[in-house]
Amino acid sequence: MVVCGGGEALAHRLAAELRGVYGEQVVLVVPPAGGGERSPSPTGRARTTALLGRITAVVSRTAGNGNGGGTGGEAEGPVPRTVEAAEIGDDALIDAGVPQAGALALVHDDDETNIRAALAARRLNPRLRLVIRLYNRKLGQHLEELLDQAAAVAGLDTTDATVTVLSDADTAAPALAATAVAGTSKVVHADGLLLRAVERTPPEPGDVAPRGLATLALLSATANDPAGAEGSDEAGGGAGPRLLPDDDAVAAAPGRGALVLEAVSYSGSAPPPGFLAGRGVPLRQLFSRRLRWSVAGFAAAVLGLAIASIVTAGGSPLHATYLTLLDLFSINDPATEGPMSRQILQLLAGLIGLLLLPILFAAVLEALGTFRTASSLRRPPRGLSGHVVLLGLGKIGTRVLARLRELDIPVVCVEADPEARGISLARRLRVPTVIGDVTEEGVLEAAKIHRAHALLAVTSADTINLEAALYARSVRPDLRVALRLYDDAFATAVYRTLRAAHPGALTRSRSVSTLAAPAFAGAMMGRQILGALPVERSVLLFAALDVSLQPQLTGRTVAEVFRPGAWRVVALERSSGAESGLEWDLDPQYVLRPQDLVVLAATRQGLAELLARRPLPARP
């Protein structure tokens, strides 16, 4: 297995996953020390080797409990070989052994670099399995088709030369968005398949929690401890989540929160947009509320004058309204020969007509101002409260912002770089945005942090995220805080410190590379990974597998196949017989046939046992 992208956190996690979980031989291609912006930190190879060893040790220590991913076997793979290369060209790929490799992962942060390397690798090895990290979804679809065609043109048996395009941002965004709002559903969707799960808070004593299709995990939160014992994957002693528990384990933990699978279905196509969808500016944004109330008051005055004219002078309503409008616009003849009531109404209409001029002038100015500033960023409204403050609009922050707006959650963004990737999305969605360094005084105050519901800090710098969280807690001690933190040990220390200082506030931390690495590793093993479902700082994987290729599944019932802490069948597609399509209400006594396709929820260790190319040692 070859992993290119040594300057990225995901590359280190992925290499550790392949070696420590799957027992594969790994070659890690890294930039030379001090050679460019994407080179490793000054510790260089030492950091890589230490990280690989530490994560492997963590997997070994947590193998026996649900925290590390359940049962499934731990393999001691060969020590990874490191290749230094300033550019990922033919020479670097040949030096890394790509012509003889089984799979190649390209996880650079730059899409162009990954695309160039993928094209070169396909030319060197048509049988190579490719896993590519791309942020652009549409480009990823076209690239998959192109590389598949390139493999077919070679005229070789390329049945296993699959191409999988993944995005760490898409994998982690639902988890980060869900941490900001309690009870938010987590969704995994790929190729039309939709799996929806929801975190349920611990039930009160005596209450019966509603059941879903399957309980995917028991969370660390309890009825007596809503904040839970969440810290990091290294938390032992059962303090963290318990993945894929059986019915007995669920019954024995009535006071714990749970992650429950609610629906598995095929998502239909979205309805076509309307004729004016995406065009123009909504009326409520074109004109302010004060101006709209002024126009409504003017219309009410016209109606009142017309009614008064009908009562005093008679006539039809249409004629009375016409005379009133003529008086308003000062184009009617003076009623010098008319009755006193008519003269009084004409004077009142003229006075209201004078008030109409500034209203029309204000409407024109607001319309012009709205069109002029449609591409500018909004400021947070004065009375805003109960919103989520999103810190960072990079690749991850952009996906999180889109997810929060899909859930119709009010958001205020804070970004230091006015040219950041997510600024255009915030401008298009009309999301209030504050441009400024969060470490400077007054920036979080401008985002109304004192009236916010939660702070979601997702910048790439752990220290900036932590500093923002500490400052926000000093302003509002009970604020819900979710941090993006890379290092598990650092996340544990941060969680314990904030928990001790503010025991009544919820603190959550997530690592993008930790959430994404299992999905990338599973794709490198040659199976269809539908997605990853984060569970605190652990992860559950969903994979679609042919029963004929899995001797552990063939000829056994759905109930017999279920292995607590390892894998569980959540959906089934029968390819023969009268019934067809995806079934999610499964019969536990149904016997799996070789022609069937199953959707599995699996832990890292469980999926490693299913996909391992060599036998894994038995777990004590």
Side-chain angles (χ1 to χ4, degrees), residues 67 227-237 239-240 466 470 473 483 485 488-503 505 507-509:
N67 221 22
E230 178 183 318
S232 103
D233 294 337
E234 298 184 53
L466 178 58
L470 294 175
R473 281 281 172 83
L483 304 173
L485 299 177
D488 289 332
F490 183 59
T492 303
V494 169
Y495 174 81
R496 292 175 178 173
T497 303
L498 291 178
R499 180 77 184 281
H502 306 281
T507 302
R508 294 290 181 259
S509 65

Side-chain angles (χ1 to χ4, degrees), residues 215-236:
T215 300
L216 299 178
L218 292 174
L219 305 177
S220 61
T222 64
N224 297 327
D225 186 12
E230 178 183 318
S232 103
D233 294 337
E234 298 184 53

Side-chain angles (χ1 to χ4, degrees), residues 92-398:
L93 294 175
I94 293 174
D95 192 17
V98 167
Q100 299 82 30
L104 167 66
L106 300 166
V107 294
H108 288 90
D109 191 52
D110 181 28
D111 287 1
E112 183 180 353
T113 301
N114 292 332
I115 293 174
R116 287 183 177 179
L119 296 175
R122 176 60 84 211
R123 185 177 65 255
L124 293 174
N125 186 353
R127 294 187 177 89
L128 185 67
R129 189 180 306 119
L130 290 171
V131 179
I132 309 169
R133 173 189 182 185
L134 283 186
Y135 183 81
N136 191 323
R137 300 170 182 171
K138 292 184 178 179
L139 180 59
Q141 295 175 357
H142 295 310
L143 183 64
E144 282 187 2
E145 298 175 358
L146 176 63
L147 292 174
D148 287 338
Q149 292 174 0
V153 168
L156 301 174
D157 182 12
T158 57
T159 56
D160 201 31
T162 59
V163 179
T164 305
V165 176
L166 298 174
S167 169
D168 56 335
D170 291 332
T171 302
L176 292 169
T179 55
V181 182
T184 301
S185 297
K186 300 179 179 180
V187 177
V188 174
H189 54 86
D191 297 331
L193 184 63
L194 183 74
L195 302 102
R196 182 165 57 96
V198 63
E199 283 190 11
R200 290 179 176 166
T201 56
E204 297 295 333
D207 295 343
V208 178
R211 296 180 62 86
L213 300 177
T215 300
L216 299 178
L218 292 174
L219 305 177
S220 61
T222 64
N224 297 327
D225 186 12
E230 178 183 318
S232 103
D233 294 337
E234 298 184 53
R242 183 170 182 176
L243 305 181
L244 297 178
D246 54 14
D247 293 339
D248 294 337
V250 174
R256 293 184 68 172
L259 180 68
V260 179
L261 183 66
E262 284 194 334
V264 181
S265 62
Y266 281 115
S267 58
S269 59
F275 177 72
L276 294 178
R279 298 178 174 89
V281 182
L283 185 64
R284 59 183 300 179
Q285 296 182 12
L286 184 61
F287 301 111
S288 65
R289 179 183 300 179
R290 188 174 302 176
L291 181 59
R292 295 198 300 270
W293 277 109
S294 300
V295 174
F298 173 76
V302 172
L303 180 62
L305 289 173
I307 294 175
S309 178
I310 295 174
V311 172
T312 58
S316 65
L318 183 61
H319 181 69
T321 304
Y322 176 68
L323 290 179
T324 302
L325 291 176
L326 289 178
D327 293 336
L328 284 172
F329 297 129
S330 301
I331 56 178
N332 199 7
D333 293 332
T336 55
E337 304 298 333
M340 182 64 67
S341 58
R342 172 77 180 104
Q343 295 176 355
I344 294 176
L345 289 177
Q346 191 175 53
L347 291 175
L348 290 177
L351 179 61
I352 295 176
L354 292 176
L355 299 177
L356 177 62
L357 182 61
I359 293 178
L360 293 176
F361 186 64
V364 172
L365 291 181
E366 283 204 3
L368 292 177
T370 299
F371 286 120
R372 187 181 63 250
T373 60
S375 61
S376 63
L377 295 172
R378 291 183 59 196
R379 298 290 298 175
R382 290 185 178 180
L384 183 63
S385 63
H387 57 286
V388 174
V389 177
L390 177 61
L391 173 59
L393 285 177
K395 288 186 175 181
I396 304 300
T398 303

